[in-house]
Amino acid sequence: MNKLTVVLCEGDHDISFLFRILSSNGYKEATQKICELPEPFCEDFKTKLENSDSKWGFYTNVLIPNLVMKKDMDYIFFHNMRGVDSTKQRSQVLSEYKELIPEGSESRFVKSYFDRYKFLYFVDADDIGSEKRRTEISAEIGLELKIDDLIKDDDEIEYGIYVFRNYENDKGSLEEILLNILEKNEKKLYDKVDKFMKNESDQLEIEGQRQKQYNNELKCYRGQSYFNYEKSKISILGQLQFSGLSNSVIIKNSDFFKNENLERLPEYEKILSLFE
């Protein structure tokens, strides 16, 4: 059977982390050419791009995968939903895919390469916990999901949810998992960056506005603070290897996240099991 797994992630950090997990288990990054994807997605994605309202320099069409991976005859399509609150976008992605799944004569396409379908949701627990996240996504799709497990609907389509979290307090995010890896395997470097971060971030916080956007014309700070302690720490550590590149690139390529480091994670087997 040829399986398609569609993964809806909060952001590109999640996609890069899952790329590393799956790469350690035999999955490879597939073609980057839409015209080489199996039917019906070659035609469908080309149409979506032609009708896209994306702006120059910003890839904003959530209906098009950001990454495609493959193992044997199975494909995984990753979508960056740009935040946990993207309910409308997630619902649209799910609806668009379900329209493509053959169901008698109602499918928009007669032929499909795939005969098994799965939708996986990856989100952070943040401060509200995994159960609250599960409840939110369950209500969104109209099915009672199980954390770290799969269920099937009446059409034999599988659904699953994984919530990135600290297992001790059931809160947190992917970044905390990544920092735990760094602290365990790069202790000296981690401690130096940690000390620097505590001193400098405290100073910026004391100064008040400097973690917000600065408007040169109005000569003032505006909007919300964009500072995130965990993401900044990962960035500083990563800049020692990949100068000027984003956290998603660092997560996807750094030897900080070797296979042996990932395989020791309590999350490792649970995540892989969702893709089986």
Side-chain angles (χ1 to χ4, degrees):
M1 297 181 72
N2 300 338
K3 177 179 62 178
L4 172 64
T5 301
V6 178
V7 185
L8 291 82
C9 296
E10 276 193 44
D12 51 6
H13 297 176
D14 302 6
I15 294 174
S16 292
F17 178 70
L18 293 172
F19 172 85
R20 297 299 293 263
I21 293 281
L22 293 164
S23 294
S24 72
N25 199 249
Y27 286 88
K28 304 292 184 183
E29 187 166 1
T31 175
Q32 294 182 346
K33 295 181 179 180
I34 289 178
C35 62
E36 294 178 357
L37 290 174
E39 292 297 343
F41 300 103
C42 170
E43 180 181 341
D44 182 66
F45 290 154
K46 283 195 294 185
T47 301
K48 286 184 170 71
L49 281 176
E50 289 170 1
N51 297 329
S52 173
D53 60 355
S54 298
K55 299 177 182 179
W56 289 115
F58 297 91
Y59 184 54
T60 58
N61 194 336
V62 298
L63 300 178
I64 308 297
N66 293 72
L67 174 70
V68 176
M69 298 190 77
K70 184 181 179 183
K71 181 179 180 181
D72 300 324
M73 306 305 289
D74 296 339
Y75 279 80
I76 305 174
F77 292 174
F78 292 88
H79 289 259
N80 179 354
M81 305 314 301
R82 295 175 176 81
V84 72
D85 297 322
S86 303
T87 302
K88 181 179 179 181
Q89 292 92 324
R90 282 195 300 265
S91 297
Q92 185 179 5
V93 170
L94 178 61
S95 175
E96 293 274 347
Y97 273 107
K98 292 184 76 172
E99 284 186 28
L100 297 175
I101 296 174
E103 185 180 351
S105 60
E106 296 182 9
S107 172
R108 288 175 16 210
F109 294 88
V110 176
K111 180 182 177 182
S112 178
Y113 172 88
F114 302 103
D115 45 32
R116 182 183 171 196
Y117 299 87
K118 181 184 295 186
F119 295 93
L120 300 180
Y121 294 76
F122 284 83
V123 293
D124 290 335
D126 294 321
D127 293 328
I128 69 173
S130 61
E131 180 58 27
K132 176 66 172 176
R133 287 288 185 233
R134 183 199 68 81
T135 301
E136 290 176 346
I137 302 296
S138 294
E140 182 180 308
I141 66 175
L143 291 170
E144 198 64 26
L145 295 173
K146 298 179 181 179
I147 293 177
D148 307 345
D149 203 355
L150 296 169
I151 65 166
K152 289 184 179 181
D153 66 8
D154 294 339
D155 297 317
E156 294 297 303
I157 299 172
E158 293 179 291
Y159 298 82
I161 182 171
Y162 187 87
V163 184
F164 293 115
R165 63 203 185 272
N166 182 323
Y167 283 100
E168 293 182 1
N169 62 12
D170 196 44
K171 296 181 180 181
S173 65
L174 169 64
E175 281 71 29
E176 293 180 38
I177 296 171
L178 298 175
L179 287 174
N180 285 337
I181 296 174
L182 291 166
E183 185 175 16
K184 289 179 181 178
N185 298 286
E186 303 287 343
K187 181 64 175 172
K188 289 184 179 179
L189 188 57
Y190 179 92
D191 287 345
K192 289 179 180 179
V193 171
D194 188 54
K195 182 178 179 180
F196 167 79
M197 282 285 297
K198 286 177 179 177
N199 291 336
E200 299 306 316
S201 63
D202 286 349
Q203 182 59 38
L204 284 176
E205 195 167 345
I206 290 171
E207 294 176 23
Q209 299 293 311
R210 296 188 64 194
Q211 294 166 336
K212 300 179 181 180
Q213 291 181 332
Y214 184 74
N215 187 300
N216 275 306
E217 292 183 5
L218 300 176
K219 299 188 184 304
C220 68
Y221 295 93
R222 305 182 71 184
Q224 66 185 32
S225 170
Y226 285 90
F227 177 72
N228 180 287
Y229 189 87
E230 289 79 16
K231 291 179 181 179
S232 292
K233 189 181 292 186
I234 293 169
S235 178
I236 292 173
L237 285 159
Q239 294 306 307
L240 298 174
Q241 293 182 318
F242 300 95
S243 299
L245 300 184
S246 67
N247 278 7
S248 59
V249 175
I250 293 165
I251 296 165
K252 189 175 179 181
N253 295 285
S254 173
D255 65 356
F256 292 152
F257 307 109
K258 297 176 182 176
N259 287 354
E260 53 264 38
N261 296 339
L262 297 173
E263 290 166 2
R264 289 194 288 266
L265 293 172
E267 296 83 4
Y268 182 79
E269 293 296 339
K270 293 181 180 181
I271 290 173
L272 282 181
S273 68
L274 292 174
F275 288 89
E276 292 178 355

